[in-house]
Coordinates of all heavy atoms in Angstrom, one line a residue:
S1 N 0.8 -1.2 0.0 CA 0.0 0.0 0.0 C 0.9 1.2 0.0 O 2.0 1.2 0.4 CB -0.9 0.0 1.2 OG -0.5 -0.9 2.2
V2 N 0.3 2.3 -0.5 CA 1.1 3.5 -0.8 C 0.4 4.8 -0.4 O -0.8 4.8 -0.4 CB 1.5 3.4 -2.3 CG1 0.3 3.7 -3.2 CG2 2.6 4.4 -2.6
V3 N 1.2 5.7 0.0 CA 0.6 7.1 0.2 C 1.3 8.0 -0.7 O 2.5 7.9 -1.0 CB 0.8 7.5 1.7 CG1 2.2 7.3 2.1 CG2 0.4 9.0 1.9
T4 N 0.6 9.0 -1.2 CA 1.2 10.0 -2.1 C 1.2 11.4 -1.5 O 0.2 11.8 -1.0 CB 0.5 10.1 -3.5 OG1 0.4 8.8 -4.1 CG2 1.1 11.1 -4.4
F5 N 2.4 12.0 -1.4 CA 2.6 13.4 -1.0 C 2.7 14.3 -2.2 O 3.6 14.0 -3.1 CB 3.8 13.5 -0.1 CG 3.8 12.6 1.1 CD1 4.3 11.3 1.1 CD2 3.4 13.2 2.3 CE1 4.2 10.5 2.3 CE2 3.4 12.4 3.5 CZ 3.8 11.1 3.5
I6 N 1.9 15.3 -2.3 CA 2.1 16.3 -3.4 C 2.6 17.6 -2.9 O 1.9 18.2 -2.0 CB 0.7 16.5 -4.1 CG1 0.1 15.1 -4.5 CG2 0.9 17.4 -5.3 CD1 -1.2 15.2 -5.2
S7 N 3.7 18.0 -3.4 CA 4.3 19.3 -2.9 C 3.5 20.4 -3.4 O 2.7 20.3 -4.4 CB 5.8 19.4 -3.4 OG 5.8 19.6 -4.8
H8 N 3.8 21.6 -2.9 CA 3.0 22.8 -3.3 C 3.2 23.0 -4.8 O 2.3 23.5 -5.5 CB 3.3 24.0 -2.5 CG 2.4 25.1 -2.8 ND1 1.1 25.1 -2.3 CD2 2.5 26.2 -3.5 CE1 0.5 26.2 -2.8 NE2 1.3 26.9 -3.5
D9 N 4.3 22.7 -5.3 CA 4.5 23.0 -6.8 C 4.1 21.8 -7.6 O 4.5 21.7 -8.8 CB 5.9 23.5 -7.1 CG 7.0 22.6 -6.5 OD1 6.7 21.5 -6.1 OD2 8.2 23.1 -6.4
G10 N 3.5 20.8 -7.1 CA 2.8 19.7 -7.8 C 3.7 18.5 -8.0 O 3.2 17.5 -8.7
E11 N 4.8 18.4 -7.4 CA 5.6 17.2 -7.5 C 5.1 16.1 -6.6 O 4.8 16.3 -5.4 CB 7.1 17.6 -7.1 CG 8.0 16.5 -7.5 CD 9.4 16.7 -6.9 OE1 9.9 17.8 -6.9 OE2 10.0 15.7 -6.5
K12 N 4.9 14.9 -7.2 CA 4.3 13.8 -6.4 C 5.4 12.9 -5.9 O 6.4 12.6 -6.7 CB 3.4 13.0 -7.3 CG 2.1 13.7 -7.6 CD 1.2 12.8 -8.4 CE -0.1 13.6 -8.7 NZ -0.8 13.0 -9.8
R13 N 5.3 12.4 -4.7 CA 6.2 11.5 -4.2 C 5.5 10.4 -3.4 O 4.7 10.7 -2.6 CB 7.2 12.2 -3.2 CG 8.3 11.3 -2.9 CD 9.3 12.1 -2.1 NE 10.0 13.0 -2.9 CZ 11.4 13.1 -2.9 NH1 12.1 12.3 -2.1 NH2 12.0 14.0 -3.6
E14 N 5.7 9.2 -3.8 CA 5.0 8.0 -3.2 C 5.9 7.4 -2.1 O 7.1 7.4 -2.2 CB 4.7 7.0 -4.3 CG 3.6 7.4 -5.2 CD 3.1 6.3 -6.1 OE1 3.7 5.2 -6.2 OE2 2.1 6.5 -6.8
A15 N 5.2 6.9 -1.1 CA 6.0 6.2 0.0 C 5.1 5.0 0.4 O 3.9 5.1 0.3 CB 6.2 7.2 1.1
P16 N 5.8 3.9 0.8 CA 5.1 2.8 1.3 C 4.4 3.1 2.6 O 5.0 3.7 3.5 CB 6.1 1.7 1.5 CG 7.4 2.4 1.5 CD 7.2 3.7 0.9
L17 N 3.1 2.6 2.8 CA 2.4 2.8 4.0 C 2.8 1.7 5.0 O 2.9 0.6 4.6 CB 0.9 2.7 3.8 CG 0.1 3.9 3.4 CD1 -1.4 3.5 3.3 CD2 0.2 5.0 4.4
E18 N 3.0 2.1 6.2 CA 3.5 1.2 7.2 C 2.5 1.3 8.4 O 2.4 2.2 9.1 CB 4.9 1.6 7.7 CG 5.7 0.5 8.2 CD 7.0 1.1 8.7 OE1 7.7 1.8 7.9 OE2 7.3 0.9 9.9
E19 N 1.7 0.2 8.5 CA 0.6 0.3 9.5 C 1.2 0.5 10.9 O 2.2 -0.1 11.3 CB -0.2 -1.1 9.5 CG -1.3 -1.1 10.5 CD -2.5 -1.9 10.1 OE1 -2.2 -2.9 9.4 OE2 -3.6 -1.6 10.5
G20 N 0.6 1.4 11.6 CA 1.0 1.7 13.0 C 2.0 2.8 13.1 O 2.2 3.4 14.2
A21 N 2.8 3.1 12.0 CA 3.7 4.2 12.1 C 2.9 5.5 12.0 O 1.7 5.5 11.6 CB 4.7 4.1 10.9
S22 N 3.5 6.7 12.3 CA 2.9 7.9 12.0 C 3.2 8.3 10.6 O 4.2 8.0 10.0 CB 3.3 9.0 13.0 OG 4.6 9.5 12.6
L23 N 2.3 9.1 10.0 CA 2.5 9.5 8.6 C 3.7 10.4 8.6 O 4.5 10.4 7.6 CB 1.2 10.3 8.1 CG 1.2 10.6 6.6 CD1 1.3 9.3 5.8 CD2 0.0 11.4 6.3
M24 N 4.0 11.2 9.6 CA 5.2 12.0 9.7 C 6.5 11.1 9.6 O 7.4 11.4 8.8 CB 5.2 12.9 11.0 CG 6.5 13.7 11.2 SD 7.9 12.9 11.9 CE 7.5 13.0 13.6
Q25 N 6.5 10.0 10.3 CA 7.6 9.1 10.3 C 7.9 8.6 8.9 O 9.0 8.5 8.4 CB 7.4 8.0 11.3 CG 8.7 7.3 11.7 CD 9.8 8.3 12.2 OE1 9.5 9.0 13.1 NE2 10.9 8.3 11.6
I26 N 6.8 8.2 8.2 CA 6.9 7.7 6.9 C 7.5 8.7 5.9 O 8.4 8.5 5.1 CB 5.5 7.2 6.4 CG1 5.1 5.9 7.2 CG2 5.5 7.0 4.9 CD1 3.7 5.4 6.9
A27 N 7.0 10.0 6.1 CA 7.5 11.1 5.2 C 9.0 11.3 5.5 O 9.8 11.4 4.6 CB 6.7 12.3 5.5
V28 N 9.4 11.3 6.8 CA 10.8 11.6 7.1 C 11.7 10.4 6.6 O 12.7 10.6 6.0 CB 11.0 11.8 8.6 CG1 12.4 11.8 9.0 CG2 10.3 13.1 9.0
D29 N 11.2 9.2 6.8 CA 12.0 8.0 6.4 C 12.2 8.0 4.9 O 13.2 7.5 4.4 CB 11.3 6.7 6.8 CG 11.3 6.5 8.3 OD1 12.1 7.2 9.0 OD2 10.6 5.5 8.8
N30 N 11.2 8.6 4.2 CA 11.3 8.6 2.7 C 11.8 9.9 2.1 O 11.6 10.2 0.9 CB 10.0 8.2 2.1 CG 9.7 6.7 2.3 OD1 10.1 5.8 1.6 ND2 9.0 6.4 3.4
M31 N 12.3 10.8 3.0 CA 12.8 12.1 2.7 C 11.9 12.9 1.8 O 12.3 13.4 0.8 CB 14.2 11.9 2.0 CG 15.2 11.5 3.0 SD 16.8 11.1 2.4 CE 16.5 9.5 1.6
V32 N 10.6 13.0 2.2 CA 9.7 13.8 1.5 C 10.0 15.3 1.9 O 9.9 15.6 3.1 CB 8.2 13.4 2.0 CG1 7.2 14.4 1.4 CG2 7.9 12.0 1.5
P33 N 10.3 16.1 0.9 CA 10.6 17.5 1.2 C 9.4 18.2 1.8 O 8.3 18.0 1.3 CB 11.0 18.1 -0.1 CG 11.0 16.9 -1.1 CD 10.3 15.8 -0.5
G34 N 9.6 19.0 2.8 CA 8.6 19.8 3.4 C 8.0 19.2 4.6 O 7.2 19.9 5.3
I35 N 8.4 18.0 5.0 CA 8.0 17.5 6.3 C 9.2 17.3 7.1 O 10.0 16.4 6.8 CB 7.3 16.1 6.1 CG1 6.1 16.2 5.1 CG2 6.9 15.5 7.5 CD1 4.8 16.2 5.8
D36 N 9.3 18.1 8.1 CA 10.6 18.1 8.9 C 10.4 17.3 10.2 O 11.3 16.6 10.7 CB 11.0 19.5 9.2 CG 11.4 20.2 7.9 OD1 11.8 19.5 7.0 OD2 11.3 21.5 7.8
G37 N 9.2 17.5 10.8 CA 9.0 16.8 12.1 C 10.0 17.2 13.2 O 10.5 16.3 13.9
D38 N 10.2 18.5 13.3 CA 11.2 19.0 14.2 C 11.0 18.6 15.7 O 12.0 18.4 16.4 CB 11.3 20.5 14.2 CG 11.9 21.0 12.9 OD1 12.7 20.2 12.3 OD2 11.7 22.2 12.5
C39 N 9.8 18.4 16.1 CA 9.6 18.1 17.6 C 9.6 16.6 17.8 O 9.4 16.2 19.0 CB 8.3 18.8 18.1 SG 6.8 18.0 17.5
G40 N 9.8 15.8 16.8 CA 9.8 14.4 17.0 C 8.4 13.7 17.1 O 8.3 12.6 17.6
G41 N 7.4 14.5 16.8 CA 6.1 13.9 16.9 C 5.2 14.2 18.1 O 4.3 13.5 18.4
E42 N 5.6 15.3 18.7 CA 4.9 15.7 20.0 C 3.7 16.7 19.7 O 3.2 17.3 20.7 CB 5.9 16.3 20.9 CG 7.1 15.5 21.3 CD 6.6 14.2 22.1 OE1 5.6 14.3 22.8 OE2 7.3 13.2 21.9
A43 N 3.4 16.9 18.5 CA 2.3 17.9 18.2 C 2.7 19.3 18.7 O 1.9 20.1 19.1 CB 1.0 17.5 18.7
A44 N 4.0 19.6 18.7 CA 4.5 20.9 19.3 C 5.2 21.8 18.3 O 5.6 22.9 18.7 CB 5.4 20.6 20.4
C45 N 5.4 21.4 17.1 CA 6.2 22.3 16.2 C 5.5 22.7 14.9 O 5.8 23.8 14.4 CB 7.5 21.6 15.8 SG 7.3 20.2 14.6
G46 N 4.6 21.9 14.5 CA 3.8 22.3 13.3 C 4.5 22.1 12.0 O 4.1 22.5 10.9
T47 N 5.7 21.5 12.0 CA 6.5 21.3 10.7 C 6.2 20.0 10.0 O 6.9 19.5 9.2 CB 8.0 21.3 11.0 OG1 8.4 20.2 11.8 CG2 8.4 22.6 11.7
C48 N 5.1 19.4 10.4 CA 4.7 18.1 9.7 C 3.3 18.3 9.2 O 2.6 17.3 8.9 CB 4.7 17.0 10.7 SG 3.5 17.2 12.0
H49 N 2.9 19.5 8.9 CA 1.5 19.9 8.4 C 1.3 19.3 7.1 O 2.1 19.4 6.2 CB 1.5 21.4 8.3 CG 0.2 22.0 8.2 ND1 -0.2 23.1 9.0 CD2 -0.9 21.8 7.4 CE1 -1.4 23.5 8.6 NE2 -1.9 22.7 7.7
V50 N 0.1 18.6 6.9 CA -0.3 18.2 5.6 C -1.8 18.5 5.5 O -2.5 18.8 6.5 CB -0.2 16.6 5.4 CG1 1.3 16.2 5.5 CG2 -1.0 15.8 6.5
I51 N -2.2 18.6 4.2 CA -3.6 18.9 3.9 C -4.2 17.6 3.3 O -3.7 17.2 2.2 CB -3.8 20.1 3.0 CG1 -3.2 21.3 3.7 CG2 -5.2 20.3 2.6 CD1 -2.7 22.3 2.7
V52 N -5.1 17.0 4.0 CA -5.7 15.7 3.5 C -6.7 16.0 2.3 O -7.5 16.9 2.5 CB -6.4 15.0 4.6 CG1 -7.1 13.7 4.2 CG2 -5.4 14.7 5.8
E53 N -6.6 15.3 1.3 CA -7.6 15.4 0.2 C -9.0 15.2 0.7 O -9.2 14.3 1.5 CB -7.3 14.4 -0.9 CG -6.0 14.7 -1.7 CD -6.1 15.8 -2.7 OE1 -6.4 15.5 -3.9 OE2 -5.9 17.0 -2.4
D54 N -10.0 16.0 0.3 CA -11.3 15.9 0.8 C -11.9 14.5 0.9 O -12.6 14.2 1.8 CB -12.3 16.8 -0.1 CG -12.0 18.3 0.2 OD1 -11.5 18.6 1.3 OD2 -12.4 19.1 -0.6
Q55 N -11.7 13.8 -0.2 CA -12.3 12.4 -0.3 C -11.7 11.5 0.8 O -12.3 10.4 1.0 CB -12.3 11.8 -1.7 CG -10.9 11.5 -2.2 CD -10.3 12.6 -3.0 OE1 -10.5 13.8 -2.7 NE2 -9.5 12.3 -4.0
W56 N -10.6 11.9 1.4 CA -10.0 11.0 2.4 C -10.2 11.4 3.9 O -9.9 10.6 4.8 CB -8.5 11.0 2.1 CG -8.1 10.0 1.1 CD1 -7.8 10.2 -0.2 CD2 -8.0 8.6 1.3 NE1 -7.5 9.1 -0.9 CE2 -7.6 8.0 0.0 CE3 -8.1 7.7 2.4 CZ2 -7.4 6.7 -0.2 CZ3 -8.0 6.3 2.2 CH2 -7.6 5.8 0.9
I57 N -10.8 12.6 4.1 CA -10.8 13.1 5.4 C -11.7 12.2 6.4 O -11.4 12.0 7.5 CB -11.2 14.6 5.5 CG1 -10.8 15.2 6.9 CG2 -12.6 14.9 5.1 CD1 -9.4 15.2 7.2
A58 N -12.8 11.6 5.8 CA -13.7 10.8 6.6 C -13.0 9.6 7.1 O -13.1 9.2 8.3 CB -15.0 10.5 5.9
E59 N -12.2 9.0 6.2 CA -11.5 7.7 6.5 C -10.3 8.0 7.5 O -10.1 7.3 8.5 CB -10.9 7.2 5.2 CG -10.0 5.9 5.4 CD -10.8 4.7 5.9 OE1 -12.0 4.6 5.5 OE2 -10.2 3.9 6.6
V60 N -9.6 9.1 7.3 CA -8.4 9.4 8.1 C -8.8 10.1 9.4 O -8.1 9.9 10.4 CB -7.6 10.4 7.2 CG1 -6.5 11.1 8.0 CG2 -6.9 9.6 6.1
G61 N -9.9 10.9 9.4 CA -10.3 11.6 10.6 C -9.8 13.0 10.7 O -8.7 13.3 10.1
R62 N -10.5 13.9 11.3 CA -10.1 15.2 11.5 C -9.2 15.4 12.7 O -9.1 14.5 13.5 CB -11.3 16.2 11.6 CG -12.1 16.2 10.3 CD -13.2 17.2 10.3 NE -14.0 17.1 9.1 CZ -13.7 17.8 8.0 NH1 -12.7 18.7 7.9 NH2 -14.5 17.6 6.9
S63 N -8.6 16.6 12.8 CA -7.6 16.8 13.9 C -8.3 16.8 15.3 O -9.5 17.2 15.4 CB -7.1 18.2 13.7 OG -8.1 19.2 13.5
G64 N -7.6 16.2 16.2 CA -8.1 16.2 17.6 C -7.7 17.5 18.4 O -7.1 18.3 17.8
P65 N -8.1 17.6 19.6 CA -8.0 18.8 20.4 C -6.5 19.3 20.6 O -6.2 20.5 20.4 CB -8.6 18.5 21.7 CG -9.1 17.1 21.7 CD -8.9 16.6 20.3
V66 N -5.6 18.4 20.8 CA -4.2 18.8 21.0 C -3.6 19.3 19.7 O -3.0 20.4 19.7 CB -3.4 17.6 21.5 CG1 -1.9 17.9 21.7 CG2 -3.9 17.0 22.8
E67 N -3.9 18.6 18.7 CA -3.4 19.0 17.3 C -4.0 20.3 16.9 O -3.4 21.2 16.3 CB -4.0 17.8 16.4 CG -3.3 17.7 15.1 CD -3.9 16.5 14.4 OE1 -4.5 15.6 15.1 OE2 -3.9 16.5 13.2
E68 N -5.3 20.5 17.3 CA -6.0 21.7 16.9 C -5.4 22.9 17.5 O -5.3 24.0 16.9 CB -7.5 21.5 17.3 CG -8.4 22.4 16.6 CD -8.3 22.4 15.1 OE1 -8.2 21.3 14.5 OE2 -8.3 23.5 14.5
E69 N -4.9 22.8 18.7 CA -4.2 23.9 19.4 C -3.1 24.5 18.5 O -2.9 25.7 18.4 CB -3.7 23.5 20.7 CG -4.6 23.8 21.9 CD -4.0 23.4 23.2 OE1 -2.8 23.8 23.5 OE2 -4.7 22.7 23.9
M70 N -2.3 23.5 18.0 CA -1.1 23.9 17.2 C -1.6 24.4 15.8 O -1.1 25.4 15.3 CB -0.2 22.7 17.0 CG 1.0 22.8 16.2 SD 2.1 24.1 16.6 CE 2.6 23.7 18.3
L71 N -2.6 23.7 15.2 CA -3.0 24.2 13.9 C -3.7 25.5 13.9 O -3.6 26.3 13.0 CB -4.1 23.1 13.4 CG -3.5 21.8 12.9 CD1 -4.6 20.8 12.6 CD2 -2.6 22.0 11.6
A72 N -4.3 25.8 15.1 CA -5.1 27.1 15.2 C -4.1 28.3 15.1 O -4.6 29.4 14.8 CB -5.9 27.1 16.5
M73 N -2.8 28.1 15.4 CA -1.9 29.2 15.4 C -1.5 29.5 14.0 O -0.8 30.5 13.7 CB -0.6 28.8 16.2 CG -0.9 28.8 17.7 SD 0.7 28.7 18.6 CE 1.0 27.0 18.7
N74 N -1.9 28.7 13.0 CA -1.5 28.9 11.6 C -2.6 29.4 10.8 O -3.6 28.7 10.5 CB -1.0 27.5 11.1 CG -0.4 27.7 9.7 OD1 -0.7 28.7 9.0 ND2 0.5 26.8 9.4
P75 N -2.5 30.7 10.4 CA -3.6 31.3 9.6 C -3.9 30.7 8.3 O -4.9 30.8 7.7 CB -3.2 32.8 9.5 CG -1.8 32.8 9.8 CD -1.4 31.6 10.6
E76 N -2.8 30.0 7.8 CA -3.0 29.4 6.5 C -3.5 27.9 6.5 O -3.5 27.3 5.5 CB -1.6 29.4 5.8 CG -1.2 30.8 5.4 CD 0.2 30.8 4.8 OE1 0.3 30.4 3.7 OE2 1.2 31.2 5.5
R77 N -3.9 27.5 7.6 CA -4.4 26.1 7.7 C -5.7 25.9 6.8 O -6.4 26.9 6.6 CB -4.7 25.7 9.1 CG -5.8 26.5 9.7 CD -6.5 25.8 10.8 NE -7.0 24.5 10.4 CZ -7.6 23.7 11.3 NH1 -7.6 24.0 12.6 NH2 -8.0 22.5 10.9
E78 N -5.9 24.7 6.4 CA -7.2 24.5 5.7 C -8.1 23.6 6.5 O -7.6 23.0 7.5 CB -6.8 23.9 4.3 CG -6.0 24.8 3.5 CD -5.9 24.5 2.0 OE1 -6.8 23.7 1.5 OE2 -5.0 25.0 1.4
P79 N -9.4 23.5 6.1 CA -10.3 22.7 6.9 C -9.8 21.2 7.1 O -10.1 20.6 8.1 CB -11.6 22.7 6.1 CG -11.5 24.0 5.3 CD -10.0 24.2 5.0
T80 N -9.1 20.7 6.2 CA -8.7 19.3 6.3 C -7.2 19.2 6.7 O -6.6 18.1 6.5 CB -8.9 18.5 5.0 OG1 -8.2 19.1 3.9 CG2 -10.4 18.5 4.6
S81 N -6.7 20.2 7.2 CA -5.3 20.2 7.7 C -5.1 19.2 8.9 O -6.0 19.1 9.7 CB -4.8 21.6 8.2 OG -4.5 22.4 7.1
R82 N -4.0 18.5 8.9 CA -3.6 17.6 10.0 C -2.2 17.8 10.3 O -1.4 18.2 9.4 CB -3.9 16.2 9.6 CG -5.3 15.7 9.4 CD -6.2 15.6 10.7 NE -5.5 15.0 11.8 CZ -5.6 13.7 12.1 NH1 -6.5 12.9 11.5 NH2 -5.0 13.2 13.2
L83 N -1.8 17.5 11.5 CA -0.4 17.3 11.8 C -0.1 15.8 11.6 O -0.6 14.9 12.2 CB -0.1 17.6 13.3 CG -0.3 19.1 13.7 CD1 0.0 19.3 15.2 CD2 0.6 20.0 12.8
S84 N 0.8 15.6 10.6 CA 1.0 14.2 10.2 C 1.6 13.3 11.3 O 1.4 12.1 11.3 CB 1.8 14.1 8.9 OG 3.1 14.6 9.1
C85 N 2.2 13.9 12.3 CA 2.8 13.1 13.4 C 1.6 12.5 14.3 O 1.9 11.6 15.0 CB 3.7 13.9 14.2 SG 3.0 15.2 15.2
Q86 N 0.4 13.1 14.1 CA -0.7 12.6 14.9 C -1.6 11.7 14.1 O -2.6 11.3 14.6 CB -1.5 13.8 15.4 CG -0.7 14.8 16.3 CD -0.1 14.1 17.5 OE1 -0.8 13.5 18.3 NE2 1.3 14.2 17.6
M87 N -1.1 11.3 13.0 CA -1.9 10.4 12.1 C -1.3 9.0 12.2 O -0.2 8.8 11.6 CB -1.9 10.9 10.7 CG -2.6 12.3 10.5 SD -2.3 13.0 8.9 CE -3.4 12.0 7.9
R88 N -2.0 8.1 12.9 CA -1.5 6.7 13.0 C -2.0 5.9 11.8 O -3.2 5.8 11.6 CB -2.1 6.2 14.3 CG -1.5 4.9 14.9 CD 0.0 5.1 15.2 NE 0.3 6.1 16.1 CZ 1.5 6.7 16.3 NH1 2.6 6.2 15.7 NH2 1.8 7.6 17.2
V89 N -1.1 5.4 11.0 CA -1.4 4.9 9.7 C -2.1 3.5 9.8 O -1.8 2.7 10.7 CB -0.1 4.7 8.9 CG1 -0.4 3.8 7.7 CG2 0.5 6.0 8.5
S90 N -3.2 3.4 9.0 CA -3.9 2.1 9.0 C -3.8 1.6 7.5 O -3.7 2.3 6.6 CB -5.4 2.4 9.3 OG -6.2 1.5 8.7
E91 N -3.9 0.3 7.4 CA -3.9 -0.4 6.1 C -5.0 0.1 5.2 O -4.8 0.1 4.0 CB -4.0 -1.9 6.3 CG -2.7 -2.6 6.5 CD -1.7 -2.4 5.3 OE1 -2.2 -2.5 4.1 OE2 -0.5 -2.2 5.5
S92 N -6.1 0.6 5.8 CA -7.2 1.0 5.0 C -6.9 2.3 4.3 O -7.7 2.8 3.5 CB -8.5 1.2 5.9 OG -8.2 2.2 6.8
W93 N -5.7 2.9 4.5 CA -5.4 4.2 3.9 C -4.7 4.0 2.6 O -4.1 5.0 2.1 CB -4.5 5.0 4.9 CG -5.1 5.4 6.1 CD1 -6.4 5.1 6.6 CD2 -4.6 6.3 7.1 NE1 -6.6 5.7 7.8 CE2 -5.6 6.5 8.1 CE3 -3.4 7.0 7.2 CZ2 -5.3 7.3 9.3 CZ3 -3.2 7.8 8.3 CH2 -4.1 7.9 9.3
D94 N -4.7 2.8 2.1 CA -4.0 2.5 0.8 C -4.5 3.5 -0.3 O -5.7 3.5 -0.5 CB -4.2 1.1 0.4 CG -3.4 0.8 -0.9 OD1 -2.4 1.4 -1.2 OD2 -3.8 -0.2 -1.6
G95 N -3.6 4.3 -0.9 CA -4.0 5.2 -1.9 C -4.2 6.6 -1.4 O -4.6 7.5 -2.2
L96 N -4.0 6.8 -0.1 CA -4.1 8.1 0.5 C -3.3 9.2 -0.3 O -2.2 8.9 -0.7 CB -3.7 8.1 2.0 CG -3.6 9.4 2.7 CD1 -5.0 10.0 2.9 CD2 -3.0 9.2 4.1
V97 N -3.9 10.4 -0.4 CA -3.2 11.5 -1.0 C -3.2 12.7 -0.1 O -4.3 13.0 0.4 CB -3.8 11.9 -2.4 CG1 -3.1 13.1 -3.0 CG2 -3.8 10.7 -3.3
V98 N -2.1 13.2 0.2 CA -2.1 14.5 1.0 C -1.2 15.5 0.3 O -0.3 15.2 -0.4 CB -1.5 14.3 2.5 CG1 -2.3 13.3 3.3 CG2 0.0 13.8 2.4
R99 N -1.6 16.8 0.5 CA -0.8 17.9 -0.1 C 0.0 18.6 1.0 O -0.4 18.6 2.2 CB -1.8 18.9 -0.7 CG -2.4 18.4 -2.0 CD -3.4 19.4 -2.6 NE -4.5 19.7 -1.8 CZ -4.9 20.9 -1.3 NH1 -4.1 21.9 -1.5 NH2 -6.0 21.0 -0.5
L100 N 1.1 19.1 0.5 CA 2.0 19.9 1.5 C 1.7 21.4 1.3 O 1.5 21.8 0.1 CB 3.4 19.6 1.2 CG 3.8 18.1 1.3 CD1 5.3 17.9 0.9 CD2 3.5 17.6 2.7
P101 N 1.6 22.1 2.4 CA 1.2 23.5 2.2 C 2.3 24.4 1.7 O 3.5 24.0 1.8 CB 0.8 23.9 3.7 CG 1.6 23.0 4.5 CD 1.7 21.7 3.8
E102 N 2.0 25.5 1.2 CA 3.0 26.4 0.6 C 4.0 26.9 1.6 O 5.2 26.9 1.3 CB 2.3 27.6 0.0 CG 3.3 28.5 -0.8 CD 2.6 29.6 -1.5 OE1 1.4 29.8 -1.3 OE2 3.2 30.2 -2.4
F103 N 3.6 27.2 2.8 CA 4.5 27.7 3.8 C 5.5 26.7 4.3 O 6.4 27.1 5.0 CB 3.7 28.3 5.0 CG 2.8 27.3 5.7 CD1 3.2 26.3 6.6 CD2 1.4 27.3 5.4 CE1 2.4 25.4 7.2 CE2 0.5 26.4 6.0 CZ 1.0 25.4 6.9
Q104 N 5.4 25.5 3.9 CA 6.3 24.5 4.4 C 7.3 24.0 3.3 O 7.8 22.9 3.4 CB 5.5 23.3 4.9 CG 6.1 22.6 6.1 CD 5.0 21.9 6.8 OE1 4.5 22.4 7.8 NE2 4.8 20.7 6.4
M105 N 7.5 24.8 2.2 CA 8.4 24.4 1.2 C 9.8 24.5 1.6 O 10.2 25.2 2.4 CB 8.1 25.2 -0.1 CG 6.9 24.8 -0.8 SD 6.6 25.8 -2.3 CE 7.8 25.1 -3.4
Ligands
FES201 FE1 6.1 18.4 15.4 FE2 4.3 17.0 14.2 S1 6.4 16.6 14.3 S2 4.0 18.8 15.3

C-alpha cells in the first residue's frame, strides 16, 4: 500500500504505508521534502503539516484537540489540515493522497 505526498509545486512522491507508524515518520523516512518533524512527533512544532484530500478526510479523521491547538496558530491552515505526526497509519489508507502547504516548502 502506498501514500502520495504532493508538494505545493505539484511534485508527487510516493511512499510505502506502514501500519502503526505515524504519517510524519513515513515522510521523514522517505525524505519527503517539506515534512521536517522537528519536535519528533509531539504535536508541538507544526513542521509536519499536511492537507488531506477531501475524499480521504472521513477515513483518516479530522484533527483532535491537542493537534487543533497547534493548527489554530497557523492562519494558512485548511479545513482538512492535519499534523501528520498525529496520524496513526492504517492499512485502509492505501491510496491516500495528502498535499503539502506552501508555507512548508
Ligand atoms: Fe512536530 Fe508533528 S512533528 S508537530
Side-chain angles (χ1 to χ4, degrees):
S1 19
V2 70
V3 51
T4 303
F5 297 87
I6 304 179
S7 72
H8 189 74
D9 51 18
E11 196 190 318
K12 288 186 184 159
R13 191 174 288 231
E14 290 189 347
L17 271 182
E18 209 183 301
E19 182 150 30
S22 77
L23 191 61
M24 178 275 277
Q25 199 55 55
I26 289 174
V28 169
D29 287 350
N30 289 277
M31 288 175 286
V32 174
I35 304 260
D36 296 331
D38 287 341
C39 74
E42 303 294 328
C45 70
T47 65
C48 66
H49 195 133
V50 297
I51 300 152
V52 177
E53 294 278 271
D54 285 340
Q55 66 267 34
W56 276 101
I57 196 69
E59 176 69 32
V60 164
R62 289 186 188 270
S63 49
V66 178
E67 201 176 333
E68 199 51 45
E69 266 180 49
M70 178 56 59
L71 287 170
M73 288 195 269
N74 189 334
E76 293 176 72
R77 67 157 301 172
E78 297 196 20
T80 62
S81 285
R82 294 286 317 260
L83 295 178
S84 59
C85 68
Q86 302 302 304
M87 297 170 71
R88 197 59 56 196
V89 169
S90 152
E91 271 299 320
S92 65
W93 295 7
D94 184 23
L96 174 67
V97 180
V98 299
R99 287 181 293 122
L100 302 178
E102 184 172 17
F103 56 80
Q104 217 158 263
M105 283 179 78

